[in-house]
Amino acid sequence: MKSLMCFSNDSPLPDIISLCWRSDISSVSMTNRRLRAIVREEMITKRRKRMGLVEHWFFIFVKSGVWCAFDPYNKAWHNVPLMPEPPSWLRHTGVMTSSPQEIMCVGSELLSCAESPVDTMHKFKALTGTWSLVAGMSNQPAYGYAWAVHEDKIFAAGGCEADRRPLRSAHMYNSETGLWTLIPPMTHARMYCKGAFMDGKFYVVGGKLSHDMPETTSAEVYDPNSKTWSLIHDFLTEDMVTHSYVITIVNKEMHHASPSGEYGSIHKYSPSSGEWLFMGCFPWESLPKTQAYHMAAYRPVRENPFEHLVLILWRLEKSELKRYVDVYASAPNPLLNWILLSSESRDFGRFSQCLAGVMGY
């Protein structure tokens, strides 16, 4: 550390700290006031963006405001500072909610809707390890909305009110300003939908047009340049919406995953043909005991933009009366070859299921 302290005021010190592992940045910042200021003023995030360096961590809710994080590069699990005054759906652990909740991640931030005051959110900054209550969406849905990340922005649309009334409203979050703004609403209200950002457009996929209707196979697509929505009929097949599913973007390509059937299935969307191509199955050794799942993407090498597909599986070992989280990764090639990155047993409450997010920078 003495060598770092020898740099003058015009030194590339922020660049040097940016190359440290995220797990070491907290210790580095404790050395003196100047280093703490570099971390606190988010210079690290700005430098990493400029260098094209992305370090993905997986943040997973445990229970009662407790979170943990998995560092896939060093194969280490970390405790996250306790979330102050979590909403009721993050406090109860005895019964699983029937209303799908969401957490959103962009850059090195995690966002989760708060209950009070109205239209506020809990924000966690990974580099500083701090929680805060911030302004949320102006017409914030209770649950069931679609969201996706593009660069420093989150796009969110749909969802429903507490009384299960579906919404058309849509918003955009700018992580540089920390503000949500309204964007034009969708053509149709939709709830329980999925989101993805592909080819410069925000896709709101599937869901229900009303609470008593079956899942739709359609999608609405928002173009930020023209600020208009377009409708795609039969974007998904009937089989793809029959059971639960998730959608994510890996290397700019949309992937769909569902644990239905004997082995589960993962498909990749082909924009040229409008068809979904079969890529492979879930990890067979965990699927029979899987209670919930989350799919995402991460960079195995921080400096290399090529991404791998990630599956986070929650499973119950009845013989041990324990819940585990298994983290698998595979290159997004046909006939997926899953590699177990880590398996962790904690006091995961039932509400932890599917509450996971991946952070970069």
Side-chain angles (χ1 to χ4, degrees):
M1 184 54 60
K2 289 183 179 180
S3 62
L4 291 179
M5 298 311 303
C6 293
F7 286 97
S8 60
N9 290 334
D10 59 352
S11 72
L13 187 55
D15 287 339
I16 294 173
I17 298 177
S18 298
L19 295 174
C20 295
W21 293 109
R22 180 183 290 157
S23 55
D24 296 331
I25 289 177
S26 177
S27 299
V28 170
S29 68
M30 297 297 291
T31 306
N32 65 22
R33 186 178 301 173
R34 184 182 172 197
L35 296 178
R36 284 195 295 274
I38 290 174
V39 175
R40 185 175 60 251
E41 294 172 11
E42 300 184 1
M43 293 183 188
I44 306 300
T45 299
K46 295 175 183 177
R47 294 300 199 281
R48 287 189 167 193
K49 289 178 184 177
R50 189 184 67 189
M51 292 186 289
L53 188 152
V54 176
E55 181 181 345
H56 287 122
W57 277 28
F58 310 139
F59 283 73
I60 299 171
F61 180 70
V62 181
K63 69 173 186 179
S64 302
V66 178
W67 298 76
C68 63
F70 175 60
D71 170 7
Y73 306 94
N74 298 294
K75 301 294 190 295
W77 288 82
H78 301 274
N79 295 320
V80 174
L82 186 69
M83 183 183 193
E85 300 182 7
S88 61
W89 58 272
L90 287 181
R91 291 198 298 268
H92 303 308
T93 58
V95 180
M96 184 64 186
T97 177
S98 60
S99 305
Q101 307 292 345
E102 298 287 344
I103 60 171
M104 298 173 283
C105 292
V106 57
S108 57
E109 296 179 357
L110 180 150
L111 295 168
S112 173
C113 292
E115 286 181 316
S116 180
V118 176
D119 297 340
T120 58
M121 288 189 171
H122 296 284
K123 178 195 286 187
F124 177 71
K125 292 189 174 184
L127 290 177
T128 59
T130 55
W131 289 94
S132 59
L133 194 64
V134 298
M137 307 179 213
S138 58
N139 188 22
Q140 190 157 289
Y143 54 86
Y145 53 92
W147 69 277
V149 173
H150 176 58
E151 296 178 346
D152 300 323
K153 298 178 176 63
I154 294 176
F155 290 81
C160 57
E161 304 277 13
D163 61 2
R164 297 183 177 181
R165 179 174 57 88
L167 298 171
R168 294 176 56 213
S169 55
H171 300 76
M172 183 185 72
Y173 174 75
N174 188 328
S175 62
E176 292 188 351
T177 63
L179 298 176
W180 287 92
T181 55
L182 276 169
I183 60 176
M186 294 187 294
T187 307
H188 301 288
R190 130 179 0 223
M191 57 200 293
Y192 307 135
C193 39
K194 318 295 183 185
F197 203 97
M198 182 177 67
D199 296 333
K201 298 178 181 179
F202 175 40
Y203 284 70
V204 179
V205 179
K208 294 184 175 184
L209 303 184
S210 68
H211 182 72
D212 56 356
M213 290 181 65
E215 287 267 348
T216 179
T217 59
S218 68
E220 287 204 44
V221 184
Y222 177 70
D223 185 341
N225 293 321
S226 63
K227 295 182 172 54
T228 57
W229 289 90
S230 57
L231 182 65
I232 303 178
H233 296 284
D234 298 323
F235 182 74
L236 301 173
T237 67
E238 290 289 346
D239 289 343
M240 296 174 82
V241 301
T242 302
H243 303 279
S244 70
Y245 63 93
V246 292
I247 283 176
T248 196
I249 299 294
V250 183
N251 298 320
K252 300 181 181 180
E253 296 179 311
M254 189 182 301
H255 290 70
H256 171 287
S258 174
S260 62
E262 187 176 358
Y263 302 107
S265 62
I266 295 175
H267 291 78
K268 181 176 71 174
Y269 180 68
S270 171
S272 59
S273 66
E275 297 178 348
W276 289 90
L277 310 175
F278 178 73
M279 296 293 291
C281 302
F282 276 51
W284 65 270
E285 61 270 28
S286 291
L287 185 58
K289 300 176 182 178
T290 295
Q291 295 183 313
Y293 61 101
H294 180 82
M295 183 170 64
Y298 98 107
R299 287 188 184 184
V301 180
R302 298 190 304 173
E303 300 82 5
N304 189 331
F306 184 76
E307 296 173 330
H308 279 200
L309 193 64
V310 170
L311 271 180
I312 301 174
L313 305 178
W314 285 257
R315 63 179 167 88
L316 174 64
E317 288 291 343
K318 294 183 179 180
S319 60
E320 304 176 42
L321 296 179
K322 287 184 179 180
R323 284 190 174 87
Y324 286 81
V325 165
D326 298 331
V327 182
Y328 287 89
S330 172
N333 302 320
L335 301 180
L336 298 167
N337 181 26
W338 294 107
I339 296 174
L340 180 64
L341 299 181
S342 183
S343 183
E344 177 77 355
S345 174
R346 296 200 175 202
D347 190 16
F348 293 109
R350 293 179 64 187
F351 259 69
S352 71
Q353 299 182 39
C354 285
L355 294 177
V358 179
M359 254 187 228
Y361 299 122

